[in-house]
Amino acid sequence: ASNLQRQVLHAEAEIGAPKVESARRRLLALNPGVEVIAYEQSLTSANALAIAREYDLLLDCSDNFPTRYLVNDAAVLLGKPNVYGSVFRFDGQVSVFDAKSGPCYRCIFPEPPPPELAPSCADGGVLGVLPGTIGTLQATEALKLILGIGASLSGRLLLYDALEMSFETVSVRKNPGCKLCGENPSVTALIDYELFCGLGADAPGWEISASELAARLQEGAPAPLLVDVREPHELEISRIAGARLIPLGELARRAAELGGASEIVVFCRSGGRSRRALEILAAAGIGNARHLQGGINAWAAQV
């Protein structure tokens, strides 16, 4: 019920129903001549390309950064335009990201903000009418693309200030160094976006305990590639035999060195830097890495 103040497709009678089904019924009530296909599932790296491949353009109406980057990357990889919209409190943004003729979302926002600085609508609040305003602008851009009329917002970011009732556009350019659509892309497939946005590095699947790692190394080939993200002087205190030293500050630049490994385990002193290392590797399209829980301190204590 608390979500209804910012909705245009749903009503109180629909509370408890899946949003996709509620939206489908409302759209068919408005125009029974259209076909509405509802996907009652989360959009993920596993299904995004298969779903998006069936359509001519995508509209990003999401409210979280993992989905935003996922939609953008799927659009670029499939060569489809992405009609982008976002809202926060009293402000909104709209653009068209079409990597064939202009920038993609990553060109402007190559890295997501830290999770603690990215509040949701529930946390940060939003003026109830604002999503409807921005959504209508997105619909306008989508219709222009379908009909081949007018000038799209590709290469421009529209900024809307509801308090001042003002619109402003700023020019945005394609970034030649973009990791996705630049001249030498390093992201060539969909990645783990929860991890990329700093939301998944503490999940059990992304950690390996010291005892488990020791057992994996004793098994022999194929042994995981060990990557030490500490500083060189820390090797004088402790080290794990066979580990490759790539300090955290150099990891983004040297991530390509790790592309051929079938399994990667990164570690630091106690686990903090190695969690950040997972996010850097995920941003580079390397998703087969885990980090050593508790770092080399845990290795020293347990192994």
Side-chain angles (χ1 to χ4, degrees):
S2 62
N3 196 239
L4 288 176
Q5 49 77 250
R6 56 184 180 272
Q7 299 294 335
V8 295
L9 288 176
H10 312 291
E12 192 167 351
E14 299 285 354
I15 292 176
K19 280 187 176 179
V20 291
E21 183 57 31
S22 172
R24 189 187 71 86
R25 286 195 290 262
R26 176 61 176 157
L27 291 169
L28 290 175
L30 289 170
N31 184 357
V34 299
E35 180 182 7
V36 183
I37 302 172
Y39 296 87
E40 193 179 338
Q41 56 187 288
S42 296
L43 192 70
T44 69
S45 296
N47 63 21
L49 293 179
I51 292 175
R53 190 174 283 115
E54 301 298 316
Y55 302 95
D56 294 310
L57 68 156
L58 310 179
L59 282 83
D60 175 11
C61 309
S62 60
D63 63 355
N64 63 85
F65 285 100
T67 306
R68 206 172 287 292
Y69 281 95
L70 170 59
V71 171
N72 174 77
D73 292 6
V76 172
L77 293 175
L78 293 172
K80 299 178 186 293
N82 168 25
V83 183
Y84 155 82
S86 71
V87 297
F88 180 67
R89 301 190 70 186
F90 304 101
D91 302 314
Q93 299 179 355
V94 183
S95 189
V96 173
F97 296 121
D98 187 351
K100 292 184 293 185
S101 59
C104 78
Y105 181 76
R106 281 181 183 260
C107 290
I108 306 171
F109 306 107
E111 299 286 342
E116 64 272 15
L117 298 182
S120 66
C121 287
D123 297 327
V126 62
L127 183 67
V129 296
L130 184 60
T133 303
I134 298 302
T136 300
L137 292 171
Q138 285 181 268
T140 303
E141 288 299 299
L143 288 169
K144 286 161 55 182
L145 289 171
I146 292 169
L147 298 171
I149 60 174
S152 82
L153 280 173
S154 180
R156 295 181 293 156
L157 183 65
L158 178 69
L159 307 175
Y160 172 58
D161 183 335
L163 292 181
E164 297 295 330
M165 193 50 70
S166 64
F167 290 89
E168 179 182 0
T169 57
V170 295
S171 296
V172 289
R173 293 181 296 177
K174 194 178 188 70
N175 176 12
C178 177
K179 295 179 180 179
L180 181 69
C181 73
E183 297 172 356
N184 297 292
S186 58
V187 178
T188 57
L190 299 183
I191 62 175
D192 186 298
Y193 294 90
E194 294 285 325
L195 182 61
F196 174 55
C197 293
L199 301 176
D202 290 319
W206 295 104
E207 291 185 331
I208 184 171
S209 68
S211 57
E212 183 184 356
L213 176 59
R216 285 283 293 107
L217 294 175
Q218 288 178 356
E219 291 173 2
L225 172 63
L226 302 181
V227 179
D228 187 343
V229 296
R230 298 177 300 159
E231 296 301 313
H233 70 270
E234 294 179 87
L235 292 177
E236 301 173 8
I237 303 171
S238 58
R239 67 177 67 205
I240 299 178
R244 181 184 301 184
L245 178 67
I246 303 181
L248 184 64
E250 301 177 12
L251 187 59
R253 175 170 54 85
R254 298 175 58 186
E257 298 177 18
L258 310 177
S262 59
E263 181 183 4
I264 300 170
V265 174
V266 295
F267 66 90
C268 61
R269 179 176 177 270
S270 59
R273 281 173 286 178
S274 59
R275 283 194 294 271
R276 175 57 184 152
L278 291 186
E279 299 167 14
I280 294 173
L281 292 176
I286 299 174
N288 60 336
R290 292 188 285 175
H291 82 107
L292 178 60
Q293 187 178 33
I296 201 169
N297 285 354
W299 177 269
Q302 300 173 27
V303 180

